[in-house]
Amino acid sequence: MTDSLFTQIYKGQIPGKIIYEDEHCFAINDINPQAPVHILIIPKKEVAKVSDASFEEIPLLGHLIYISKKLADLNKLSNNYRLVINNGAEAGQSVFHIHVHLLGGRSFNWPPG
Ligand code: 5GP
């Protein structure tokens, strides 16, 4: 199977700066930011989407949320930010490797559209 776009960025095959990394995940700035802070938190393990995740991936999914919180703190988002996971093309997913969008630095509307 070919590597996802995000794995190719992680491996340095496509340009992109890794702004955070640990044993389980890494983070990059979104190339097309929708807010002053727009970070993607991505598991090193390639799972296409949340609806494909299995029971054994529960800790990994929790880890992604926890690291999103840490990155929000590091970026001084003062406890106001939005975490988004698009699941499936009709929900807006364009890269099929699970990722959490951390958006902050501005106000957000609801519903998201
Ligand atoms: P999705 O639409 O799958 O929820 O989010 C994919 C995100 O990846 C989009 O926000 C898009 O701007 C971002 N993206 C697509 N290609 C690249 C790239 O080459 N580099 C970076 N840093 N982000 C990308």
Side-chain angles (χ1 to χ4, degrees), residues 24-25 41-69 83-87 97-100:
H24 303 294
C25 71
I41 299 92
I42 306 157
K44 289 183 175 176
K45 178 175 182 179
E46 276 197 30
V47 180
K49 54 191 190 299
V50 169
S51 54
D52 293 332
S54 63
F55 183 81
E56 70 182 23
E57 278 136 12
I58 290 173
L60 179 60
L61 297 174
H63 184 79
L64 297 177
I65 303 294
Y66 183 74
I67 296 305
S68 300
K69 165 217 140 78
L83 302 180
V84 174
I85 303 176
N86 296 319
N87 186 86
H97 178 169
I98 289 179
H99 49 284
V100 178

Coordinates of all heavy atoms in Angstrom, one line a residue, residues 24-25 41-69 83-87 97-100:
H24 N 3.7 8.0 19.2 CA 2.5 7.6 18.6 C 2.0 8.6 17.5 O 1.1 8.1 16.7 CB 1.3 7.4 19.6 CG 1.7 6.5 20.7 ND1 1.9 5.1 20.4 CD2 1.9 6.7 22.0 CE1 2.2 4.5 21.6 NE2 2.2 5.4 22.5
C25 N 2.4 9.8 17.5 CA 1.8 10.8 16.6 C 2.8 11.9 16.3 O 3.8 12.0 16.9 CB 0.5 11.3 17.1 SG 0.7 12.5 18.5
I41 N -3.1 16.9 13.9 CA -2.5 15.9 14.8 C -2.8 14.6 14.2 O -3.9 14.2 14.0 CB -3.0 16.1 16.2 CG1 -2.7 17.5 16.8 CG2 -2.4 15.0 17.1 CD1 -3.7 18.5 16.6
I42 N -1.7 13.8 13.9 CA -1.8 12.6 13.0 C -1.1 11.4 13.6 O 0.0 11.5 14.1 CB -1.1 13.0 11.6 CG1 -1.7 14.3 11.0 CG2 -1.2 11.8 10.7 CD1 -0.7 15.0 10.1
P43 N -1.8 10.3 13.7 CA -1.2 9.1 14.3 C -0.1 8.6 13.3 O -0.3 8.7 12.1 CB -2.3 8.1 14.4 CG -3.3 8.5 13.4 CD -3.2 10.0 13.3
K44 N 1.0 8.0 13.8 CA 2.0 7.4 13.0 C 1.4 6.2 12.3 O 1.7 5.9 11.2 CB 3.2 7.1 13.8 CG 4.0 8.3 14.2 CD 5.3 8.0 14.9 CE 6.0 9.3 15.2 NZ 7.3 9.1 16.0
K45 N 0.5 5.5 13.0 CA -0.2 4.4 12.4 C -1.2 4.9 11.4 O -2.0 5.7 11.8 CB -0.8 3.5 13.5 CG -1.6 2.3 13.0 CD -2.2 1.5 14.2 CE -2.9 0.3 13.7 NZ -3.4 -0.5 14.8
E46 N -1.2 4.3 10.2 CA -2.2 4.8 9.2 C -3.5 4.0 9.4 O -3.6 2.9 9.2 CB -1.6 4.5 7.8 CG -0.7 5.6 7.3 CD -0.5 5.6 5.8 OE1 -1.4 5.1 5.1 OE2 0.6 5.9 5.4
V47 N -4.5 4.8 9.9 CA -5.9 4.3 9.9 C -6.6 5.4 9.0 O -6.4 6.6 9.2 CB -6.5 4.3 11.3 CG1 -7.9 3.8 11.3 CG2 -5.6 3.4 12.2
A48 N -7.4 4.9 8.0 CA -8.0 5.8 7.1 C -8.9 6.8 7.7 O -8.9 8.0 7.4 CB -8.6 5.1 5.9
K49 N -9.8 6.3 8.6 CA -10.8 7.3 9.1 C -11.3 6.7 10.4 O -11.1 5.5 10.7 CB -11.9 7.6 8.2 CG -12.6 6.4 7.5 CD -13.5 6.9 6.4 CE -14.5 5.8 5.9 NZ -13.7 4.6 5.3
V50 N -12.0 7.5 11.2 CA -12.4 7.1 12.6 C -13.3 5.9 12.4 O -13.2 5.0 13.2 CB -13.2 8.3 13.3 CG1 -13.9 7.8 14.5 CG2 -12.2 9.4 13.6
S51 N -14.2 5.9 11.4 CA -15.1 4.7 11.3 C -14.4 3.4 11.0 O -15.0 2.4 11.0 CB -16.2 5.0 10.3 OG -15.6 5.4 9.0
D52 N -13.1 3.5 10.6 CA -12.3 2.3 10.4 C -11.6 1.8 11.7 O -10.9 0.8 11.7 CB -11.3 2.5 9.3 CG -11.9 2.7 8.0 OD1 -13.1 2.1 7.8 OD2 -11.3 3.4 7.1
A53 N -11.6 2.7 12.7 CA -10.8 2.4 13.9 C -11.4 1.1 14.7 O -12.6 0.9 14.7 CB -10.8 3.6 14.8
S54 N -10.5 0.4 15.3 CA -10.9 -0.8 16.0 C -10.8 -0.6 17.5 O -10.2 0.4 17.9 CB -10.1 -2.0 15.6 OG -8.7 -1.8 15.9
F55 N -11.3 -1.5 18.2 CA -11.2 -1.5 19.7 C -9.8 -1.2 20.2 O -9.6 -0.4 21.1 CB -11.7 -2.8 20.3 CG -11.8 -2.9 21.8 CD1 -12.9 -2.3 22.4 CD2 -10.8 -3.5 22.5 CE1 -12.9 -2.3 23.8 CE2 -10.9 -3.6 23.9 CZ -11.9 -3.0 24.5
E56 N -8.8 -1.9 19.6 CA -7.4 -1.7 20.0 C -6.9 -0.3 19.8 O -5.8 0.1 20.3 CB -6.5 -2.8 19.4 CG -6.3 -2.5 17.9 CD -5.4 -3.6 17.2 OE1 -5.4 -4.7 17.8 OE2 -4.9 -3.3 16.2
E57 N -7.6 0.5 19.0 CA -7.1 1.8 18.7 C -7.7 2.9 19.6 O -7.4 4.1 19.5 CB -7.4 2.2 17.2 CG -6.3 1.7 16.3 CD -6.8 1.0 15.1 OE1 -8.0 1.1 14.7 OE2 -6.0 0.3 14.4
I58 N -8.5 2.4 20.6 CA -9.0 3.4 21.6 C -8.0 4.2 22.3 O -8.1 5.5 22.3 CB -9.9 2.7 22.7 CG1 -11.2 2.1 22.0 CG2 -10.3 3.6 23.8 CD1 -12.0 1.2 22.9
P59 N -6.9 3.7 22.8 CA -5.8 4.5 23.4 C -5.2 5.5 22.4 O -4.9 6.6 22.8 CB -4.8 3.5 23.9 CG -5.5 2.2 24.0 CD -6.5 2.2 22.9
L60 N -5.0 5.1 21.2 CA -4.5 6.0 20.2 C -5.4 7.2 19.9 O -4.9 8.3 19.8 CB -4.2 5.2 18.9 CG -3.6 6.0 17.7 CD1 -2.2 6.6 18.1 CD2 -3.4 5.1 16.5
L61 N -6.7 6.9 19.8 CA -7.6 8.0 19.6 C -7.6 8.9 20.7 O -7.7 10.2 20.5 CB -9.1 7.4 19.3 CG -9.2 6.5 18.1 CD1 -10.6 5.9 18.0 CD2 -8.9 7.3 16.8
G62 N -7.6 8.4 21.9 CA -7.5 9.3 23.1 C -6.2 10.1 23.1 O -6.2 11.3 23.5
H63 N -5.2 9.5 22.7 CA -3.9 10.2 22.7 C -3.9 11.4 21.8 O -3.4 12.4 22.1 CB -2.8 9.1 22.2 CG -1.4 9.7 22.2 ND1 -0.6 9.8 23.4 CD2 -0.6 10.2 21.2 CE1 0.5 10.3 23.1 NE2 0.6 10.5 21.8
L64 N -4.5 11.2 20.6 CA -4.6 12.3 19.7 C -5.3 13.5 20.3 O -4.9 14.7 20.1 CB -5.3 11.9 18.4 CG -4.7 10.8 17.6 CD1 -5.6 10.4 16.4 CD2 -3.3 11.2 17.1
I65 N -6.4 13.2 21.0 CA -7.1 14.3 21.7 C -6.3 15.0 22.7 O -6.2 16.2 22.9 CB -8.5 13.8 22.3 CG1 -9.3 13.2 21.2 CG2 -9.2 15.0 22.9 CD1 -9.9 14.0 20.1
Y66 N -5.6 14.2 23.5 CA -4.8 14.7 24.6 C -3.7 15.6 24.0 O -3.4 16.6 24.5 CB -4.2 13.6 25.5 CG -3.4 14.1 26.6 CD1 -4.1 14.7 27.7 CD2 -2.0 14.1 26.6 CE1 -3.4 15.3 28.7 CE2 -1.3 14.7 27.6 CZ -2.0 15.3 28.7 OH -1.3 15.8 29.7
I67 N -3.0 15.1 23.0 CA -1.9 15.9 22.4 C -2.5 17.2 21.7 O -1.9 18.2 21.8 CB -1.1 15.0 21.3 CG1 -0.5 13.9 22.1 CG2 -0.1 15.9 20.6 CD1 0.4 14.3 23.2
S68 N -3.7 17.1 21.2 CA -4.4 18.3 20.7 C -4.5 19.4 21.8 O -4.2 20.6 21.6 CB -5.7 18.0 20.1 OG -5.7 17.1 19.1
K69 N -4.9 18.9 23.0 CA -5.0 19.8 24.1 C -3.6 20.4 24.5 O -3.5 21.6 24.7 CB -5.5 19.0 25.3 CG -5.4 19.7 26.7 CD -5.1 18.6 27.7 CE -4.1 19.0 28.7 NZ -4.6 19.9 29.8
L83 N -11.7 21.4 18.0 CA -11.1 20.1 17.4 C -12.1 19.5 16.4 O -13.3 19.4 16.8 CB -10.9 19.1 18.6 CG -9.9 19.6 19.7 CD1 -9.8 18.5 20.7 CD2 -8.6 20.1 19.1
V84 N -11.6 19.2 15.3 CA -12.5 18.7 14.2 C -11.9 17.4 13.6 O -10.6 17.4 13.4 CB -12.6 19.7 13.0 CG1 -13.4 19.1 11.9 CG2 -13.3 21.0 13.5
I85 N -12.7 16.4 13.5 CA -12.3 15.2 12.7 C -13.3 15.0 11.6 O -14.5 14.7 12.0 CB -12.2 14.0 13.6 CG1 -11.2 14.2 14.8 CG2 -11.7 12.7 12.8 CD1 -11.1 13.0 15.8
N86 N -13.0 15.2 10.4 CA -13.9 14.9 9.3 C -13.8 13.4 9.0 O -12.7 12.8 8.9 CB -13.5 15.7 8.1 CG -13.7 17.2 8.3 OD1 -14.6 17.6 8.9 ND2 -12.7 18.0 7.8
N87 N -14.9 12.7 8.9 CA -14.9 11.3 8.6 C -15.7 11.0 7.3 O -16.9 11.1 7.3 CB -15.6 10.5 9.8 CG -15.5 9.0 9.7 OD1 -14.5 8.4 10.0 ND2 -16.5 8.4 9.1
H97 N -6.2 9.5 6.2 CA -5.3 9.1 7.2 C -5.8 9.9 8.4 O -5.7 11.2 8.4 CB -3.9 9.4 6.8 CG -2.9 9.0 7.9 ND1 -1.5 9.0 7.6 CD2 -3.0 8.7 9.2 CE1 -0.8 8.7 8.7 NE2 -1.7 8.5 9.7
I98 N -6.4 9.3 9.4 CA -7.0 10.0 10.5 C -6.2 11.2 11.0 O -4.9 11.1 11.1 CB -7.2 9.1 11.8 CG1 -8.3 8.1 11.5 CG2 -7.6 9.9 13.0 CD1 -8.6 7.1 12.7
H99 N -6.8 12.3 11.2 CA -6.1 13.5 11.7 C -7.2 14.4 12.5 O -8.3 14.5 12.1 CB -5.5 14.3 10.6 CG -6.3 14.6 9.5 ND1 -6.7 13.7 8.5 CD2 -7.0 15.7 9.1 CE1 -7.5 14.2 7.6 NE2 -7.7 15.4 7.9
V100 N -6.7 15.0 13.5 CA -7.5 15.9 14.3 C -7.0 17.3 13.8 O -5.8 17.6 13.8 CB -7.2 15.8 15.8 CG1 -8.1 16.8 16.6 CG2 -7.6 14.4 16.3

